[in-house]
């Protein structure tokens, strides 16, 4: 099974990295592909350029076996839609289950994603939740796809919905950018190599 973890990664931090590592182990993924988004359709444009976000990703996952940076959204023109990314991955990996990992905040907004129902054509969706996350009020579209068997994910290529609790680290890239802007130390929220890169390139200093 191949995992897909999309994001702006502006910058990547331990919230992303810890959950990526946990799901890689829990699902026994052959690889976890971090997919930096080019022009996020849902939100304001990233503060750091795409090549810079990419370099920070590279620094963060150095020596992390099975972690791969997948640049297909950066290489594509126009808006990055996950539905297109999954189609393109499916062409490349025709016989491997694809697992798209999203945070519960992203899942709550899934219905605003471009062609969101078609995400399930080419991947399973795994929602990374915090303890106490309530799945009682799921729409029928989701309920019929719900499974709690990892083996079912392994035996089908796509189409299932699964909720996985992961360790919650209350870290966000927004908070890190604001801290740097206020000249506070973001130490222990993201790798030191990434902090050094941010300092060297004077990123996220708006004032
Ligand atoms: P920003 O603060 O700029 O919105 P972010 O920190 O939320 O950024 P993104 O790049 O937007 O990071 O997130 C990519 C993915 O990582 C999303 O699926 C999001 O739900 C998940 N994610 C973000 N922060 C965490 C965290 N602390 N723990 C686990 N997953 C996270």
């Amino acid at each position: 099974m191949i995992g897909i973890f999309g994001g702006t990664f502006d910058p990547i931090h331990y919230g992303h990295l810890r959950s990526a590592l946990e799901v890689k182990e829990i699902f026994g993924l052959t690889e976890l592909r971090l997919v930096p988004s080019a022009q996020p359709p849902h939100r304001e444009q990233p503060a750091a350029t795409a090549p810079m976000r990419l370099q920070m990703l590279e620094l963060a996952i150095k020596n992390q076996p099975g972690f791969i940076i997948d640049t297909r959204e950066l290489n594509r023109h126009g808006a990055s839609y996950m539905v297109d990314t999954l189609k393109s991955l499916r062409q490349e990996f025709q016989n491997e289950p694809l697992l798209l990992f999203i945070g519960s905040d992203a899942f709550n907004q899934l219905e605003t994603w471009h062609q969101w129902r078609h995400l399930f054509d080419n991947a399973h969706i795994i929602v990374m939740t915090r303890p106490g996350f309530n799945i009682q009020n799921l729409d029928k579209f989701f309920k019929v796809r719900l499974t709690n068997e990892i083996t079912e994910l392994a035996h089908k290529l796509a189409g299932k919905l699964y909720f996985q609790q992961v360790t919650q680290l209350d870290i966000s890239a927004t908070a890190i950018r604001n801290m740097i802007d206020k000249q506070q130390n973001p130490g222990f929220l993201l790798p030191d190599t990434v902090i050094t890169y941010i300092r060297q390139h004077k990123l996220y200093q708006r004032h």
Side-chain angles (χ1 to χ4, degrees), residues 34-52:
L34 295 159
V35 186
S37 137
Q39 291 178 20
H42 300 295
R43 43 182 284 168
E44 58 185 82
Q45 295 306 301
T49 64
M52 284 175 157

Side-chain angles (χ1 to χ4, degrees), residues 52-122:
M52 284 175 157
R53 289 183 290 123
L54 193 56
Q55 284 191 47
M56 291 190 279
L57 272 175
E58 274 162 10
L59 291 168
I61 67 152
K62 219 175 197 169
N63 309 321
Q64 202 45 249
F67 278 44
I68 290 177
I69 301 169
D70 183 322
T71 57
R72 74 191 66 217
E73 293 195 356
L74 300 180
N75 300 337
R76 210 159 56 207
H77 294 292
S80 332
Y81 292 119
M82 185 48 79
V83 72
D84 298 329
T85 302
L86 295 178
K87 260 184 223 159
S88 146
L89 280 160
R90 175 54 71 211
Q91 283 170 1
E92 198 171 319
F93 303 101
Q94 300 195 349
N95 299 311
E96 277 271 358
L98 297 177
L99 273 57
L100 172 65
F101 291 94
I102 59 176
S104 42
D105 52 341
F107 178 67
N108 289 332
Q109 297 184 14
L110 194 71
E111 288 158 55
T112 65
W113 291 25
H114 183 60
Q115 297 187 345
W116 64 273
R117 290 183 180 83
H118 289 290
L119 295 166
F120 287 95
D121 295 350
N122 291 311

Side-chain angles (χ1 to χ4, degrees), residues 5-11 13 15-16 19 43 101-106 128 166-175 177:
F5 198 113
T8 325
F9 304 120
D10 189 22
H13 54 66
H16 303 130
S19 18
R43 43 182 284 168
F101 291 94
I102 59 176
S104 42
D105 52 341
M128 300 176 291
V166 295
T167 301
Q168 294 301 310
L169 298 175
D170 189 8
I171 304 174
S172 77
T174 304
R177 292 194 302 272

